[in-house]
């Protein structure tokens, strides 16, 4: 039988204590957060310092798992959670692309994180603009501005 459990590989240390403190998208702010990888997973960080940017998956531990429709910071319209990046969803897995600033042992200093302080770290992957960026991608209900328009350049 397969094991389908998520295993926390670490914890996020960020300046955001509540959802009101955190930006809608991490790249909107310059604050530095630290990803603490648990000791038993430190071997997995081999060569991570060769990555300029990382994809960080984390558990949005303060999200409401019963919500299926929501409003966004960009308007009063109601959307299904699967059409948004709301932390309130059946499986509150957060996704963030961050800049890796420095590795010191099991700690990774990053810029662009939007996770709340204490969020469980689910996974880290290298970000590659050649593989992960899709030119012309859009979200139809975001007519006035695209997702990245508020993000830091």
């Amino acid at each position: 039988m397969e094991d389908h459990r998520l295993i926390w590989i670490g914890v996020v240390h960020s300046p955001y204590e509540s959802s009101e403190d955190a930006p809608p998208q991490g790249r909107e702010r310059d604050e530095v957060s630290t990803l603490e990888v648990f000791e038993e997973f430190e071997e997995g960080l081999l060569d991570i310092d060769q990555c300029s940017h990382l994809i960080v998956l984390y558990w949005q531990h303060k999200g409401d798992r019963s919500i299926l429709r929501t409003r966004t910071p960009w308007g009063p319209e109601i959307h299904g959670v699967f059409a948004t990046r709301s932390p309130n969803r059946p499986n509150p897995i957060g996704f963030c692309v961050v800049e890796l600033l420095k590795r010191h042992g099991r700690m990774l200093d990053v810029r662009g994180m939007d996770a709340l302080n204490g969020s469980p770290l689910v996974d880290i992957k290298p970000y590659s603009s050649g593989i992960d960026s899709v030119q012309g991608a859009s979200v139809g209900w975001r007519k006035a501005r695209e997702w990245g328009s508020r993000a830091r350049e």
Side-chain angles (χ1 to χ4, degrees), residues 83-153:
T84 74
R85 295 188 177 192
S86 171
N88 300 310
R89 52 197 324 111
N91 287 306
I93 298 171
F95 169 95
C96 201
V97 175
V98 299
E99 178 184 5
L100 177 59
L101 302 173
K102 180 181 178 182
R103 174 186 175 187
H104 39 105
R106 300 181 294 111
M107 307 293 187
L108 305 174
D109 291 339
V110 298
R111 178 180 292 128
M113 195 77 218
D114 57 6
L116 300 183
N117 190 44
S119 294
L121 189 57
V122 174
D123 203 358
I124 303 169
K125 301 174 184 294
Y127 174 86
S128 168
S129 60
I131 296 170
D132 299 315
S133 178
V134 179
Q135 296 299 317
S138 66
V139 177
W141 58 264
R142 288 288 322 266
K143 294 179 185 95
R145 296 200 298 229
E146 284 304 313
W147 286 103
S149 68
R150 292 174 39 149
R152 190 174 68 80
E153 295 296 323

Side-chain angles (χ1 to χ4, degrees), residues 16-24 29 62-63 73 87-88 114-117:
Y16 313 121
E17 295 297 333
S18 71
S19 58
E20 292 78 27
D21 297 337
R29 301 230 187 116
K62 294 187 178 179
N88 300 310
D114 57 6
L116 300 183
N117 190 44

